[in-house]
Amino acid sequence: MYVLGIETSCDETSAAVVESGRRVVSCQISSSLEFHKRYGGIIPEIASRKHLETIVYVVESAFSNSGVKPKQIKGISVTSGPGLVGSLLVGVCFAKALSLSWGVPLLGVNHLYSHIYSVFLAGKKVSFPFVALIVSGGHTSLFYVKDFDRIEPIGATADDACGEAFDKVAKILGLGYPGGPYIEKAACGGNPQEVKFSCGNTKNPLDFSFSGIKTAVLYRCRAMKSRSRKEIADIAASFQETVIESLVDKALLACRKKRVKHLVLGGGVVANGRLREKFNSSALQAGVKVYFPDKKLCMDNAAMVAGMGYQLFKKGYRSGLDLNAGLN
Ligand code: KG4
Ligand code: ZN
């Protein structure tokens, strides 16, 4: 069974055709990132306009690359939230129009749950229940997953999202946008023990806090008259190490609390090589098996939306034409 997925929650316009929730037949992604770079962050108005400009082309190319005919599509799943409302609306309206004109069932899916699904597209089989940690530019969330339709939030960031903290710290250090890959690169030449940073405490031990460490980097940089390459590398490495330690500690704590031995990771920050190293070694010690998506599936894409849609269609879920952009 082929499902068409559509994703427009942030700056990526994406469409994908996925077979049986496993095989990515085609996945087209067009990013408007270039148009946001000069502002150092995503501008919602630009993002939604770019979705409008590219969505027809993106969906058409996903089809022409797949060799699948529209009449073979048995379901259309679309990200309906969370995300930028103006951006989400472009994908939701487009999906509704296709669903109506083709007479194919429609389903709105949660963007974060789709990120959880990315590992299943990498051909991995994870048995339920498991804990999932989604770390992106907009979210840092822990979930207890009993099934594809039984996902319980158990932790979230109290302030900045993890990727957002990488982006802001990169800006403070005078590196590029989006900050994650720049921090990772700069950190390679630095000593992660050079600066003592810490992540803030939270009332719920499974929640996260990253705004304090971002401010600590800011104050440290303000106090320096000039910054050598080595000093920037040390700050980047120390920041990255502290943030990753917090992610690892809380994810493994969630596994202990929920008595599960499987941990699924997803979201843009999971592309980070040091994060993968730390999770692999710490989880091994804790007797937990970690599952990472392919690096290209960490970022926003419609294949994960089609995959999650397939699983929910199979369970009988459908949305009406009153589907709206929102939290779920
Ligand atoms: O999941 P994603 O593509 O979009 C959202 O849904 O937000 O995540 C984008 C975020 C950005 O904040 C970016 O800085 C971060 O993922 N990121 C990274 C790396 N690559 C991307 N953070 C740390 N290390 C990386 N290598
Ligand atoms: Zn995302």
PDB file of all heavy atoms in Angstrom, residues 297-321:
ATOM      1  N   LEU A 297      17.395  11.380   7.393  1.00  0.00           N
ATOM      2  CA  LEU A 297      16.014  11.319   7.890  1.00  0.00           C
ATOM      3  C   LEU A 297      15.846  12.009   9.250  1.00  0.00           C
ATOM      4  O   LEU A 297      14.752  12.038   9.803  1.00  0.00           O
ATOM      5  CB  LEU A 297      15.546   9.867   7.988  1.00  0.00           C
ATOM      6  CG  LEU A 297      15.340   9.133   6.656  1.00  0.00           C
ATOM      7  CD1 LEU A 297      15.065   7.661   6.881  1.00  0.00           C
ATOM      8  CD2 LEU A 297      14.215   9.770   5.850  1.00  0.00           C
ATOM      9  N   CYS A 298      16.961  12.548   9.792  1.00  0.00           N
ATOM     10  CA  CYS A 298      16.865  13.286  11.073  1.00  0.00           C
ATOM     11  C   CYS A 298      16.140  14.602  10.847  1.00  0.00           C
ATOM     12  O   CYS A 298      15.372  15.059  11.670  1.00  0.00           O
ATOM     13  CB  CYS A 298      18.261  13.595  11.613  1.00  0.00           C
ATOM     14  SG  CYS A 298      19.083  12.147  12.269  1.00  0.00           S
ATOM     15  N   MET A 299      16.440  15.244   9.696  1.00  0.00           N
ATOM     16  CA  MET A 299      15.843  16.547   9.384  1.00  0.00           C
ATOM     17  C   MET A 299      14.385  16.342   8.945  1.00  0.00           C
ATOM     18  O   MET A 299      13.985  15.228   8.621  1.00  0.00           O
ATOM     19  CB  MET A 299      16.601  17.238   8.230  1.00  0.00           C
ATOM     20  CG  MET A 299      18.100  17.264   8.398  1.00  0.00           C
ATOM     21  SD  MET A 299      18.619  18.112   9.892  1.00  0.00           S
ATOM     22  CE  MET A 299      20.346  17.672   9.925  1.00  0.00           C
ATOM     23  N   ASP A 300      13.647  17.444   8.871  1.00  0.00           N
ATOM     24  CA  ASP A 300      12.246  17.338   8.479  1.00  0.00           C
ATOM     25  C   ASP A 300      12.111  16.743   7.076  1.00  0.00           C
ATOM     26  O   ASP A 300      12.799  17.180   6.142  1.00  0.00           O
ATOM     27  CB  ASP A 300      11.592  18.729   8.517  1.00  0.00           C
ATOM     28  CG  ASP A 300      11.432  19.206   9.954  1.00  0.00           C
ATOM     29  OD1 ASP A 300      11.605  18.388  10.877  1.00  0.00           O
ATOM     30  OD2 ASP A 300      11.121  20.396  10.135  1.00  0.00           O
ATOM     31  N   ASN A 301      11.238  15.771   6.938  1.00  0.00           N
ATOM     32  CA  ASN A 301      11.020  15.122   5.640  1.00  0.00           C
ATOM     33  C   ASN A 301       9.628  14.501   5.630  1.00  0.00           C
ATOM     34  O   ASN A 301       9.059  14.212   6.687  1.00  0.00           O
ATOM     35  CB  ASN A 301      12.088  14.050   5.408  1.00  0.00           C
ATOM     36  CG  ASN A 301      11.957  12.901   6.393  1.00  0.00           C
ATOM     37  OD1 ASN A 301      11.180  11.982   6.173  1.00  0.00           O
ATOM     38  ND2 ASN A 301      12.669  12.952   7.516  1.00  0.00           N
ATOM     39  N   ALA A 302       9.103  14.283   4.419  1.00  0.00           N
ATOM     40  CA  ALA A 302       7.738  13.753   4.317  1.00  0.00           C
ATOM     41  C   ALA A 302       7.691  12.231   4.378  1.00  0.00           C
ATOM     42  O   ALA A 302       6.611  11.666   4.560  1.00  0.00           O
ATOM     43  CB  ALA A 302       7.092  14.235   3.024  1.00  0.00           C
ATOM     44  N   ALA A 303       8.856  11.561   4.252  1.00  0.00           N
ATOM     45  CA  ALA A 303       8.841  10.089   4.296  1.00  0.00           C
ATOM     46  C   ALA A 303       8.376   9.618   5.673  1.00  0.00           C
ATOM     47  O   ALA A 303       7.579   8.688   5.794  1.00  0.00           O
ATOM     48  CB  ALA A 303      10.243   9.557   3.981  1.00  0.00           C
ATOM     49  N   MET A 304       8.850  10.298   6.724  1.00  0.00           N
ATOM     50  CA  MET A 304       8.439   9.909   8.083  1.00  0.00           C
ATOM     51  C   MET A 304       6.931  10.166   8.288  1.00  0.00           C
ATOM     52  O   MET A 304       6.263   9.448   9.028  1.00  0.00           O
ATOM     53  CB  MET A 304       9.289  10.648   9.137  1.00  0.00           C
ATOM     54  CG  MET A 304       9.132  12.156   9.157  1.00  0.00           C
ATOM     55  SD  MET A 304      10.313  12.932  10.295  1.00  0.00           S
ATOM     56  CE  MET A 304       9.648  14.601  10.396  1.00  0.00           C
ATOM     57  N   VAL A 305       6.416  11.178   7.606  1.00  0.00           N
ATOM     58  CA  VAL A 305       4.984  11.510   7.714  1.00  0.00           C
ATOM     59  C   VAL A 305       4.149  10.423   7.012  1.00  0.00           C
ATOM     60  O   VAL A 305       3.130   9.964   7.536  1.00  0.00           O
ATOM     61  CB  VAL A 305       4.693  12.897   7.086  1.00  0.00           C
ATOM     62  CG1 VAL A 305       3.224  13.271   7.224  1.00  0.00           C
ATOM     63  CG2 VAL A 305       5.583  13.963   7.713  1.00  0.00           C
ATOM     64  N   ALA A 306       4.645   9.994   5.835  1.00  0.00           N
ATOM     65  CA  ALA A 306       3.941   8.928   5.099  1.00  0.00           C
ATOM     66  C   ALA A 306       3.994   7.622   5.896  1.00  0.00           C
ATOM     67  O   ALA A 306       3.009   6.889   5.967  1.00  0.00           O
ATOM     68  CB  ALA A 306       4.571   8.743   3.726  1.00  0.00           C
ATOM     69  N   GLY A 307       5.155   7.344   6.513  1.00  0.00           N
ATOM     70  CA  GLY A 307       5.320   6.100   7.279  1.00  0.00           C
ATOM     71  C   GLY A 307       4.384   6.057   8.479  1.00  0.00           C
ATOM     72  O   GLY A 307       3.679   5.067   8.709  1.00  0.00           O
ATOM     73  N   MET A 308       4.375   7.138   9.234  1.00  0.00           N
ATOM     74  CA  MET A 308       3.502   7.192  10.407  1.00  0.00           C
ATOM     75  C   MET A 308       2.039   7.141   9.954  1.00  0.00           C
ATOM     76  O   MET A 308       1.210   6.472  10.568  1.00  0.00           O
ATOM     77  CB  MET A 308       3.783   8.488  11.193  1.00  0.00           C
ATOM     78  CG  MET A 308       3.105   8.545  12.526  1.00  0.00           C
ATOM     79  SD  MET A 308       3.339   7.025  13.476  1.00  0.00           S
ATOM     80  CE  MET A 308       3.548   7.619  15.100  1.00  0.00           C
ATOM     81  N   GLY A 309       1.743   7.824   8.845  1.00  0.00           N
ATOM     82  CA  GLY A 309       0.382   7.820   8.303  1.00  0.00           C
ATOM     83  C   GLY A 309      -0.060   6.397   7.971  1.00  0.00           C
ATOM     84  O   GLY A 309      -1.162   5.982   8.332  1.00  0.00           O
ATOM     85  N   TYR A 310       0.823   5.644   7.328  1.00  0.00           N
ATOM     86  CA  TYR A 310       0.486   4.257   6.952  1.00  0.00           C
ATOM     87  C   TYR A 310       0.059   3.446   8.181  1.00  0.00           C
ATOM     88  O   TYR A 310      -0.954   2.754   8.157  1.00  0.00           O
ATOM     89  CB  TYR A 310       1.713   3.615   6.285  1.00  0.00           C
ATOM     90  CG  TYR A 310       1.590   2.115   6.135  1.00  0.00           C
ATOM     91  CD1 TYR A 310       0.852   1.562   5.078  1.00  0.00           C
ATOM     92  CD2 TYR A 310       2.184   1.248   7.053  1.00  0.00           C
ATOM     93  CE1 TYR A 310       0.717   0.187   4.952  1.00  0.00           C
ATOM     94  CE2 TYR A 310       2.046  -0.124   6.934  1.00  0.00           C
ATOM     95  CZ  TYR A 310       1.312  -0.647   5.878  1.00  0.00           C
ATOM     96  OH  TYR A 310       1.178  -2.009   5.763  1.00  0.00           O
ATOM     97  N   GLN A 311       0.861   3.567   9.264  1.00  0.00           N
ATOM     98  CA  GLN A 311       0.557   2.778  10.468  1.00  0.00           C
ATOM     99  C   GLN A 311      -0.808   3.170  11.052  1.00  0.00           C
ATOM    100  O   GLN A 311      -1.554   2.321  11.517  1.00  0.00           O
ATOM    101  CB  GLN A 311       1.641   2.990  11.546  1.00  0.00           C
ATOM    102  CG  GLN A 311       3.031   2.548  11.125  1.00  0.00           C
ATOM    103  CD  GLN A 311       3.124   1.052  10.884  1.00  0.00           C
ATOM    104  OE1 GLN A 311       2.249   0.275  11.268  1.00  0.00           O
ATOM    105  NE2 GLN A 311       4.204   0.634  10.228  1.00  0.00           N
ATOM    106  N   LEU A 312      -1.117   4.471  11.013  1.00  0.00           N
ATOM    107  CA  LEU A 312      -2.386   4.927  11.589  1.00  0.00           C
ATOM    108  C   LEU A 312      -3.563   4.621  10.665  1.00  0.00           C
ATOM    109  O   LEU A 312      -4.644   4.268  11.128  1.00  0.00           O
ATOM    110  CB  LEU A 312      -2.304   6.428  11.921  1.00  0.00           C
ATOM    111  CG  LEU A 312      -1.243   6.786  12.985  1.00  0.00           C
ATOM    112  CD1 LEU A 312      -1.146   8.287  13.168  1.00  0.00           C
ATOM    113  CD2 LEU A 312      -1.550   6.117  14.325  1.00  0.00           C
ATOM    114  N   PHE A 313      -3.355   4.721   9.340  1.00  0.00           N
ATOM    115  CA  PHE A 313      -4.416   4.330   8.395  1.00  0.00           C
ATOM    116  C   PHE A 313      -4.795   2.873   8.639  1.00  0.00           C
ATOM    117  O   PHE A 313      -5.956   2.512   8.655  1.00  0.00           O
ATOM    118  CB  PHE A 313      -3.933   4.485   6.941  1.00  0.00           C
ATOM    119  CG  PHE A 313      -4.065   5.877   6.383  1.00  0.00           C
ATOM    120  CD1 PHE A 313      -2.979   6.539   5.817  1.00  0.00           C
ATOM    121  CD2 PHE A 313      -5.297   6.541   6.394  1.00  0.00           C
ATOM    122  CE1 PHE A 313      -3.099   7.814   5.289  1.00  0.00           C
ATOM    123  CE2 PHE A 313      -5.429   7.825   5.869  1.00  0.00           C
ATOM    124  CZ  PHE A 313      -4.322   8.455   5.311  1.00  0.00           C
ATOM    125  N   LYS A 314      -3.744   2.033   8.842  1.00  0.00           N
ATOM    126  CA  LYS A 314      -3.986   0.598   9.062  1.00  0.00           C
ATOM    127  C   LYS A 314      -4.860   0.360  10.291  1.00  0.00           C
ATOM    128  O   LYS A 314      -5.606  -0.595  10.382  1.00  0.00           O
ATOM    129  CB  LYS A 314      -2.629  -0.103   9.286  1.00  0.00           C
ATOM    130  CG  LYS A 314      -2.236  -0.939   8.118  1.00  0.00           C
ATOM    131  CD  LYS A 314      -1.088  -1.910   8.316  1.00  0.00           C
ATOM    132  CE  LYS A 314      -0.368  -1.945   9.623  1.00  0.00           C
ATOM    133  NZ  LYS A 314       0.742  -2.889   9.664  1.00  0.00           N
ATOM    134  N   LYS A 315      -4.716   1.262  11.267  1.00  0.00           N
ATOM    135  CA  LYS A 315      -5.508   1.118  12.498  1.00  0.00           C
ATOM    136  C   LYS A 315      -6.903   1.739  12.349  1.00  0.00           C
ATOM    137  O   LYS A 315      -7.663   1.793  13.304  1.00  0.00           O
ATOM    138  CB  LYS A 315      -4.767   1.770  13.670  1.00  0.00           C
ATOM    139  CG  LYS A 315      -3.531   0.992  14.119  1.00  0.00           C
ATOM    140  CD  LYS A 315      -2.834   1.721  15.250  1.00  0.00           C
ATOM    141  CE  LYS A 315      -1.578   1.008  15.703  1.00  0.00           C
ATOM    142  NZ  LYS A 315      -1.852  -0.252  16.434  1.00  0.00           N
ATOM    143  N   GLY A 316      -7.162   2.335  11.187  1.00  0.00           N
ATOM    144  CA  GLY A 316      -8.499   2.866  10.907  1.00  0.00           C
ATOM    145  C   GLY A 316      -8.645   4.365  11.130  1.00  0.00           C
ATOM    146  O   GLY A 316      -9.746   4.903  11.011  1.00  0.00           O
ATOM    147  N   TYR A 317      -7.553   5.046  11.443  1.00  0.00           N
ATOM    148  CA  TYR A 317      -7.661   6.499  11.674  1.00  0.00           C
ATOM    149  C   TYR A 317      -7.855   7.245  10.348  1.00  0.00           C
ATOM    150  O   TYR A 317      -7.236   6.895   9.342  1.00  0.00           O
ATOM    151  CB  TYR A 317      -6.394   7.034  12.366  1.00  0.00           C
ATOM    152  CG  TYR A 317      -6.277   6.601  13.804  1.00  0.00           C
ATOM    153  CD1 TYR A 317      -5.622   5.417  14.140  1.00  0.00           C
ATOM    154  CD2 TYR A 317      -6.846   7.360  14.819  1.00  0.00           C
ATOM    155  CE1 TYR A 317      -5.529   5.003  15.464  1.00  0.00           C
ATOM    156  CE2 TYR A 317      -6.754   6.951  16.139  1.00  0.00           C
ATOM    157  CZ  TYR A 317      -6.097   5.771  16.446  1.00  0.00           C
ATOM    158  OH  TYR A 317      -6.011   5.368  17.748  1.00  0.00           O
ATOM    159  N   ARG A 318      -8.691   8.276  10.377  1.00  0.00           N
ATOM    160  CA  ARG A 318      -8.950   9.134   9.209  1.00  0.00           C
ATOM    161  C   ARG A 318      -9.219  10.548   9.714  1.00  0.00           C
ATOM    162  O   ARG A 318      -9.737  10.717  10.814  1.00  0.00           O
ATOM    163  CB  ARG A 318     -10.238   8.713   8.454  1.00  0.00           C
ATOM    164  CG  ARG A 318     -10.281   7.269   7.969  1.00  0.00           C
ATOM    165  CD  ARG A 318      -9.441   7.090   6.701  1.00  0.00           C
ATOM    166  NE  ARG A 318      -9.548   5.757   6.133  1.00  0.00           N
ATOM    167  CZ  ARG A 318      -8.814   4.703   6.517  1.00  0.00           C
ATOM    168  NH1 ARG A 318      -7.937   4.817   7.477  1.00  0.00           N
ATOM    169  NH2 ARG A 318      -8.958   3.537   5.912  1.00  0.00           N
ATOM    170  N   SER A 319      -8.934  11.559   8.890  1.00  0.00           N
ATOM    171  CA  SER A 319      -9.346  12.935   9.223  1.00  0.00           C
ATOM    172  C   SER A 319     -10.422  13.357   8.241  1.00  0.00           C
ATOM    173  O   SER A 319     -10.432  12.893   7.093  1.00  0.00           O
ATOM    174  CB  SER A 319      -8.180  13.910   9.096  1.00  0.00           C
ATOM    175  OG  SER A 319      -7.158  13.570   9.994  1.00  0.00           O
ATOM    176  N   GLY A 320     -11.249  14.292   8.667  1.00  0.00           N
ATOM    177  CA  GLY A 320     -12.273  14.842   7.775  1.00  0.00           C
ATOM    178  C   GLY A 320     -11.711  16.060   7.055  1.00  0.00           C
ATOM    179  O   GLY A 320     -10.580  16.502   7.321  1.00  0.00           O
ATOM    180  N   LEU A 321     -12.528  16.632   6.168  1.00  0.00           N
ATOM    181  CA  LEU A 321     -12.082  17.818   5.446  1.00  0.00           C
ATOM    182  C   LEU A 321     -12.096  19.064   6.340  1.00  0.00           C
ATOM    183  O   LEU A 321     -11.707  20.150   5.925  1.00  0.00           O
ATOM    184  CB  LEU A 321     -12.944  18.040   4.199  1.00  0.00           C
ATOM    185  CG  LEU A 321     -12.649  17.043   3.071  1.00  0.00           C
ATOM    186  CD1 LEU A 321     -13.604  17.256   1.910  1.00  0.00           C
ATOM    187  CD2 LEU A 321     -11.209  17.137   2.591  1.00  0.00           C
TER     188      LEU A 321
END
